[in-house]
Structure formats: C-alpha cells, structure tokens
Amino acid sequence: MEPVVVVDRVTKRYGSKPAVRELSFSVGKGEVLGFLGPNGAGKTTTMRMITGFMPPSDGRVLVDGVDMVDAPLAARRKIGYLPEVPPLYPEMEVREFLAFAARLRGVGRRDVEGAVERVSARCGLAGAGTAIIGTLSRGYRQRVGLAQALVHDPEVLVLDEPTAGLDPKQIHETRLLIRELARDRTVVLSTHILSEVTVTCDRVVIISGGRLRAEDSPERLAARLATAGRGSAVVEIETASPAEAAAAALTAAPGVASVNTGSETAEGTVVLQVALEDDEDRRSELARTVLGAGAPLLGLRRAGASLEDVFLELTASEAEDGETA
Amino acid sequence: MTAALIICRREIAAALASPVAYVLFGAFAFIYGYFFTEFLRNFVEVGMRMSELGGFSGGSLHVNHDLINPLLLTAAVVLLFLVPLISMRSLAAEVRSGTMELLLTAPISDGQIVAGKFLGGFALYLTMLAVSLLHVAVLFWFGQPDILPILAGYLGLALFGAATIALGLFFSSLTSSQIVAGVLTLAALLLLWVVEFAGQTGGSFGRLLAYVSVTGHLAEPARGVVAVRDVIYYLSFAGFFLLLTRETVRSRRWRG
C-alpha cells in the first residue's frame, strides 16, 4: 500500500526530556490507523507533529510525499485535524464557524457555501447551522470539531481522542461516522481505549514512553494480548464469613496457586480470589471443595482480565524490555 | 494576505458579538465627551474675556491651536488606558480556548496570523477613535477650523494606535491569561507615557527618554505637523513588536 503519512525516526524533546523517541511508522492510503497508548505516552505530541502544529526535534514527517518542515503550508493543506479539545469559538454560529475554517484552510470564496453544506450534512449538523456553538452539547461540539477538520476535504484526517468525554450513544455514532469517513480518505486516530481500535481501525500502532511497542492489525494484536494474558487465570468465589475453612481447603486443592481472602462486606459475605496454576477450567472442583469445607457457595465466576488491563501489562512489560535492550 | 484578512474579519466579528467592544466605545465617547465639553467651555470663556479686553491682551485664540490640539493630546491619554482592553484578548484567548491549534495547523504562516490579529485590533481601535470625529464635526458646525492640521492630528493618533496595539498584541502572545496580558500592556504604556515628563529634564538621557515616549511623538502631529521622525518612530515601534509577536508564536510551536 502506498504510504500517505510517513513518520520517519521522529524525536521530540521538551527541554531535555524526550516525549517521543525515534518513532517510525507509516499510514497507507485509505487506511484507518489507531494510535494507542496510555495517557502521557506521546500520542498527542506525535499527532501535533503530523499535523504541523510543532516541528520534530529530529527526524521528519512526510504527508503525501511533502515534508512538513520544508513545505509546511503545502503539507498542512492536506490534513484535517481535530485536537483533543475541539478548537471552537463559542460566540460563533456553527455555519459561520465552518465557513471561517474553510476559508482559513484555503477553500475558495465561491466554494465555501457548498463545502459547509456538504460537511454539515455528513456530520449530522444539517439542522444546527444557526446554533451558537457555546450553547451546544458536548456531542454536538465534537461533531462541529469533526466538521471543521473535514471542511476542506483533506486527504488525511487526524483525530486526537475523538470519543473522549462522549456518552455511549455518541461514542457509537462517532465511530460509525469515522468508519464512513474513512471510505475515501486516510484516518489517524489516537485513543487509550483498546476496544475502540478493534471497532474502527485497520491497523494499530502502540506506543508508550514515547517509543513504538507494537504495530499490527487489531485481530493479530488481540491474539497476542490473549496469549500474553495466559497463565494468570483467577476464579472469584463468594462465600459467607468466616471463610478460613474454605480458604484453607481451596489452598490445599490441586491446581491452586494461591488464595486471597477479601474483606467482609456488610451482608457478611467474603470474596476469595483463587489464582490457578494454569488456565484449565476447574470451577466444578473448586465449587465442590468449598461445599466440602462446610462453607456456603454464594457465587463463583472466572475473573477474566479486561483487554485494557492486559494491554497495559503488555506496554508496561515491553517498556521494561525497551529500557534494557 | 487573504488569510490575514480572514482572521481580521473574525476578530472584528468576535469583538462585536461580545458587549466588551460596545462598553469600550461607550466609555471612550463618555470620557472624551467630558473633556471635549470642559475644553470647549474653557475655550469660549477665555475667548469672551479676550474680546472684552478688546485686543489689548496681544494674543489671539485659534480653534485649531487652542482647542483641537490639547484635545487630541488628551484623547491619546484616554486611548492609552483603553488599548490594553482591546488587545489583551487577541492571542491569549486563542491559546486559552485551544483555538490556537486551529490557526497553527491551518496552511497559513505565523506572520499571517499575527498580521490578521493586528489588523483586527487596529480596526477596532480606529472605530473607537472615529467616535471622536463627532465632536470635531460639532466644531465645524459652529466654526471654521482648518481641516489639514486636524487630519495630521488624526494621522498621528492612528499611528499611535498602530504602535500601542502592536505592543498589546505582543503581551497577549506571551500568556494565556487575558488579565495578565492587559495588565502588562497597561504597565508598559504607562511607563512609555511618563517618560515624556521625565524627558523634559533635558540632557542627552532626557532627550533619549523623550524620544522613547509613546505620547511625546504626538506633539507635532497634534499641532498639524507630520514629521518624518514621528512617523518612523511609530512605524518602527509597531513593526518591532509585530516581529517579536511572530517570534513568540513560533516559539509556542516548539514549546507545544
């Protein structure tokens, strides 16, 4: 695939502290690239370098073959950018603001009205043209933010945490919209929510500590994360207090690595976290063990680590690898 | 240049959408109107006393020299206090609200952003200044002042505005707080005003102070004389702070 955005050994230092270190990746034409990492990983800094907001300390960024430092205006023209906080003027009307953004990005005077019309329809703002931006809800502001990024019909759309702060319905709508927008352009979006990339992205770049940790399709990455999560199966058993007998019996049971007794709840129940030696399903044996110890069995479930937890573990452990390598 | 005009237009629209601009225009009209009435009454009283003396006083009153000249100098001092209120918002508010990111990622140069912001502020300043033309029109209604010296005076005030707005824009680019920007601008302008009096002590240091003074260069234009040195002073003053502002905007990119 022909790369549209090339990030080539880019480093960004604030003072002497590097926020991004020797980062390289590229985004193919028509691709949706998810930029994933914990907060403070350097996502926003990287996006700001791609959009030409700030120059890299080292390395280069190419947009459609144009160097962002050598020809910033030509390169910026090809990009639409929605920062984490949508850049909106609260006193303006939606339509007025979009026309301003269009003019600023080089849309000709005669084409402005058509561009605003098109982008309003696309972002679900058709009825909100005369609304004052300051009075809009968070979801609508986000739509206006997306619309201003799109108004000059850029080849590359860069979205910094586009679903942050939205409610579940708005998140769903935004994701659908991004997928639809991606049909005829390249999209780079950052997020710290893992499920977001599985829904919207073709490819994922994971960074933490300013370094590249992984680069793969969401499916393959999910498989990797699942493997990384193996061997840490935990079963949570709810029983009545006192639970010493049950805990002792469970500790002695085959395949159990350790038992962690939780604190007593107001209803007089206790949750025992039973860590297993492998990921075999031992729930029925564990249930019998508890009952055999004369304790009531009030609940039992496998505690699967969330994707996010596993992801964080992966980035943390790979971060250590990166330091020692 | 188109981009600068687009930014300039938005700047004016934003100011007119908030009550601040109208309060400023109103405040200027009120304060300037007060001075105008006082000066005019004084002028008329002195004139009547002189005519009672019947020419023995040896002097004569002229509306340009004895009314409009001091009036324009007073206008400059009033404007000195209002300029920070026009300029403080300019770049500081963009940084605070995050819209700076929109401007800095648009395909326009930093110079165009600064030019647009300056033109917007300058246009608001000129609008405010235009309020005082009403008072001058009254003088034309009742008398025959010479128009050329008045034009020279207004040219001086326009140049004065360009310089002070540029200074305010610079302080607005340093911080994301409008208040800080406004207070710094006011402090700088007050300093550049009082050095005019300090400069009257004479000596080479006094002459230097007098030259630096932002109000001192209005003396000649207010009398109807457009001197090259005053024009150069204001233009280079404005140019210097506009270039400085562009550098701060550029450094903001590096700092993020």
Side-chain angles (χ1 to χ4, degrees), chain B residues 150-205:
Chain B
I150 295 178
L151 288 180
Y154 271 88
L155 176 68
L157 282 178
L159 288 168
F160 169 82
T164 51
I165 291 282
L167 178 97
L169 187 60
F170 168 66
F171 282 115
S172 182
S173 74
L174 290 181
T175 163
S176 61
S177 159
Q178 293 186 39
I179 302 295
V180 172
V183 168
L184 286 174
T185 309
L186 184 63
L189 287 178
L190 289 180
L191 196 68
L192 288 170
W193 175 39
V194 297
V195 291
E196 187 188 351
F197 307 110
Q200 285 163 357
T201 54
S204 54
F205 185 63

Side-chain angles (χ1 to χ4, degrees), chain A residues 55-74:
Chain A
S57 310
D58 247 315
R60 28 175 227 159
V61 174
L62 300 179
V63 180
D64 204 14
V66 182
D67 191 305
M68 190 50 93
V69 173
D70 292 347
L73 304 193

Side-chain angles (χ1 to χ4, degrees), chain B residues 1 4 10 45 69 82 87 107 125 133-134 138 143 150 161 181 199 207 215 222 225 230 236 240-241 256:
Chain B
M1 205 56 205
R10 202 214 68 80
E45 269 173 20
N69 179 6
L82 297 179
S87 64
Y125 170 87
L133 289 175
L134 284 175
V138 169
I150 295 178
R207 277 206 303 278
T215 44
V225 183
D230 298 324
S236 54
F240 175 70
F241 280 105

Side-chain angles (χ1 to χ4, degrees), chain A residues 11-29:
Chain A
T11 298
K12 179 70 194 181
R13 284 179 289 269
Y14 295 118
S16 61
K17 189 175 157 284
V20 172
R21 290 183 265 192
E22 300 252 328
L23 188 63
S24 292
F25 64 91
S26 61
V27 193
K29 206 175 176 72

Side-chain angles (χ1 to χ4, degrees), chain A residues 207-232:
Chain A
I207 66 166
S208 80
R211 285 180 201 271
L212 185 80
R213 301 298 176 198
E215 186 183 358
D216 221 327
S217 71
E219 295 76 26
R220 290 233 293 267
L221 210 65
R224 249 177 94 176
L225 293 179
T227 326
R230 240 187 218 154
S232 59

Side-chain angles (χ1 to χ4, degrees), chain A residues 238-308:
Chain A
E238 193 179 354
T239 184
S241 185
E244 282 80 16
L250 284 168
T251 313
V256 173
S258 67
V259 176
N260 192 358
T261 311
S263 55
E264 191 181 332
T265 65
E267 291 88 37
T269 65
V270 168
V271 172
L272 302 173
Q273 288 198 316
V274 184
L276 301 181
E277 282 166 352
D278 48 40
D279 64 335
E280 216 164 288
D281 189 356
R282 294 180 195 279
R283 279 177 296 174
S284 51
E285 288 102 308
L286 293 178
R288 257 180 258 127
T289 310
V290 173
L291 294 171
L297 182 61
L298 303 173
L300 183 152
R301 67 179 198 96
R302 239 194 308 207
S306 75
L307 277 174
E308 272 88 354

Side-chain angles (χ1 to χ4, degrees), chain B residues 225-237:
Chain B
V225 183
V226 179
V228 177
R229 67 174 231 141
D230 298 324
V231 175
I232 288 180
Y233 168 82
Y234 284 125
L235 289 184
S236 54
F237 189 111

